[in-house]
Amino acid sequence: MLIAIAGKTNTGKTTMFNALTLNNAEVSNRTFTTIKPNVGVTHVRTECACRKFGIDCGKCKEGIRFVPIKIIDIAGLVPDAHLGKGLGNQFLSDIMEAQAIIHVVDASGGTDINGNSVLPGTHNTREDVEFFVKEINYWILGIVKKIIKSRVELKKEEFVQLLTKQLSGLGIHQEDVEYAVNKTALKSASDDNKFLEFIEILREKSKPIVVAANKADIKEAEKNLDIGIPCSAEVEYALRKASEKGVINYIPGDSDFNIIANVDEKQKNALEFIRNLLKKLGSTGVQKVIDTTVFDVLNMIVVYPVENETKLTDKKGNVMPDAYLMKKGSTALDLAYKVHEDIGKKFIAAVNCKSGKHVSASYELQNGDVISIKAGR
């Protein structure tokens, strides 16, 4: 799984990337600080299933399991990127690798449409949300128009097959194309009234966007927090670094933290400011952005494969060592193939460790399931 962090320059994209990965990618207020994409690993947060069995798996923190996902921080977007302006072609090509996009917006209105810093409250933040979607939609539209070079009528099946073949490299699948065609009742490429609507639905299905209303710690952001998930990447980064250094005990996504080291007056005041922000927002919002994207938008669940259904261990005796993200609706057989292709091919049955009952290949996995797969030799 790959999630993209995108948006204009100076909105806090790379700070969010650093907070989520604890990397040290360059951050500045210069436009196009990020040119080559930064790639790292972050985690989604879920309640670990081990507690339901009254055991400690050793892989979670206070009952919270963090499951790794890949994340990419992409160069800043500018208006008319779909026409090649700025780093448009590179940006849009990079973003198409992702299953979902987190659009980081400066909710304080302190960044103009071209990514230049301005006084907070002087830029209409809501314009950013609109232009971002427009740029991606028009870029996909441009590609589709190149594919459909003539205005010759195509049958629905031919249209779907042609687009699927050419767009597969962008992570757009046949089911996405079919969904958009059926949703708009599009009959051919020459149906101009429905074509742009088709592109919009195709993008929503294949590249859903979650808006992160960043810089929520700035006063001017308050009136714009309804545009997305309120968050502060800068505060989240500060908390994770402080936790890493042993100054505080903090679990990403929590609404509070504990100070566990001696701090001076300046540090104490900074931490008190952060604590008040957490009380106001419920958290920094950064972990919520990732969790919402993966669980609510991409409809993923977490499943734990084990070998021994009684001890909940793998063959080396490790307790619930793995946590897999699976698409909602996946089956026990899908999990077997996820673990290893040979196990999928030799699948016999599986055991739901919660109930102790055998389940078939078609059993639909539920979030938090612990499953032991039985395979032949």
Side-chain angles (χ1 to χ4, degrees), residues 336-347:
Y337 273 102
K338 178 96 172 179
V339 173
H340 198 283
E341 185 176 357
D342 286 344
I343 294 177
K345 289 179 179 178
K346 298 175 182 178
F347 180 93

Side-chain angles (χ1 to χ4, degrees), residues 323-341:
Y324 286 0
L325 285 167
M326 303 288 294
K327 192 77 172 178
K328 192 176 292 184
S330 296
T331 65
L333 182 59
D334 293 328
L335 177 62
Y337 273 102
K338 178 96 172 179
V339 173
H340 198 283
E341 185 176 357

Side-chain angles (χ1 to χ4, degrees), residues 79-246:
D80 291 331
H82 70 281
L83 299 176
K85 291 189 178 182
L87 300 173
N89 290 328
Q90 177 182 321
F91 169 93
L92 292 162
S93 179
D94 290 335
I95 209 171
M96 285 298 144
E97 297 178 19
Q99 280 77 59
I101 304 164
I102 294 171
H103 178 198
V104 181
V105 176
D106 178 356
S108 75
T111 311
D112 70 17
I113 197 69
N114 292 305
N116 300 305
S117 295
V118 295
L119 288 175
T122 59
H123 174 68
N124 184 352
T125 297
R126 296 171 192 274
E127 291 180 2
D128 298 340
V129 178
E130 296 173 4
F131 112 83
F132 184 85
V133 172
K134 176 185 173 183
E135 289 298 330
I136 296 177
N137 287 349
Y138 272 86
W139 193 68
I140 296 175
L141 177 62
I143 293 174
V144 172
K145 282 185 175 180
K146 289 178 182 178
I147 296 170
I148 311 297
K149 294 180 180 179
S150 68
R151 310 301 285 177
V152 177
E153 289 287 322
L154 290 173
K155 292 182 180 179
K156 175 181 173 181
E157 294 76 12
E158 294 173 330
F159 183 62
V160 169
Q161 291 298 324
L162 179 60
L163 285 185
T164 298
K165 181 179 179 180
Q166 297 298 325
L167 296 176
S168 60
L170 301 180
I172 298 176
H173 307 294
Q174 181 169 333
E175 63 185 57
D176 301 325
V177 177
E178 288 178 340
Y179 176 84
V181 168
N182 292 332
K183 193 77 172 177
T184 56
L186 187 68
K187 296 179 180 179
S188 76
S190 60
D191 192 344
D192 291 324
N193 292 330
K194 294 184 178 293
F195 203 61
L196 192 55
E197 181 187 358
F198 162 76
I199 293 295
E200 168 73 14
I201 293 173
L202 179 64
R203 197 275 310 151
E204 287 180 349
K205 186 75 167 61
S206 62
K207 308 292 174 187
I209 296 172
V210 174
V211 176
N214 194 32
K215 304 189 182 182
D217 52 304
I218 299 175
K219 182 180 179 181
E220 287 79 1
E222 292 182 2
K223 63 181 180 180
N224 295 317
L225 295 183
D226 61 329
I227 63 174
I229 298 173
C231 62
S232 174
E234 189 172 346
V235 169
E236 179 69 19
Y237 185 65
L239 286 172
R240 294 201 188 195
K241 291 298 288 186
S243 180
E244 183 185 50
K245 293 177 180 179

Side-chain angles (χ1 to χ4, degrees), residues 198-326:
F198 162 76
I199 293 295
E200 168 73 14
I201 293 173
L202 179 64
R203 197 275 310 151
E204 287 180 349
K205 186 75 167 61
S206 62
K207 308 292 174 187
I209 296 172
V210 174
V211 176
N214 194 32
K215 304 189 182 182
D217 52 304
I218 299 175
K219 182 180 179 181
E220 287 79 1
E222 292 182 2
K223 63 181 180 180
N224 295 317
L225 295 183
D226 61 329
I227 63 174
I229 298 173
C231 62
S232 174
E234 189 172 346
V235 169
E236 179 69 19
Y237 185 65
L239 286 172
R240 294 201 188 195
K241 291 298 288 186
S243 180
E244 183 185 50
K245 293 177 180 179
V247 177
I248 64 173
N249 181 22
Y250 170 68
I251 300 176
D254 273 3
S255 59
D256 203 354
F257 56 88
N258 295 316
I259 301 174
I260 56 176
N262 293 324
V263 295
D264 59 30
E265 194 65 24
K266 183 179 179 181
Q267 291 173 316
K268 183 178 179 181
N269 290 337
L271 289 171
E272 191 59 30
F273 170 82
I274 291 174
R275 177 166 278 138
N276 289 333
L277 180 69
L278 295 182
K279 288 179 181 178
K280 179 180 177 181
L281 298 180
S283 71
T284 69
V286 172
Q287 187 65 50
K288 183 178 181 180
V289 168
I290 290 292
D291 294 344
T292 298
T293 302
V294 173
F295 294 127
D296 298 338
V297 176
L298 293 178
N299 292 315
M300 305 300 284
I301 60 173
V302 179
V303 183
Y304 306 80
V306 298
E307 185 166 307
N308 188 308
E309 65 266 29
T310 303
K311 297 181 179 180
L312 307 183
T313 58
D314 63 9
K315 60 183 177 183
K316 294 181 180 179
N318 299 307
V319 179
M320 293 173 56
D322 300 313
Y324 286 0
L325 285 167
M326 303 288 294

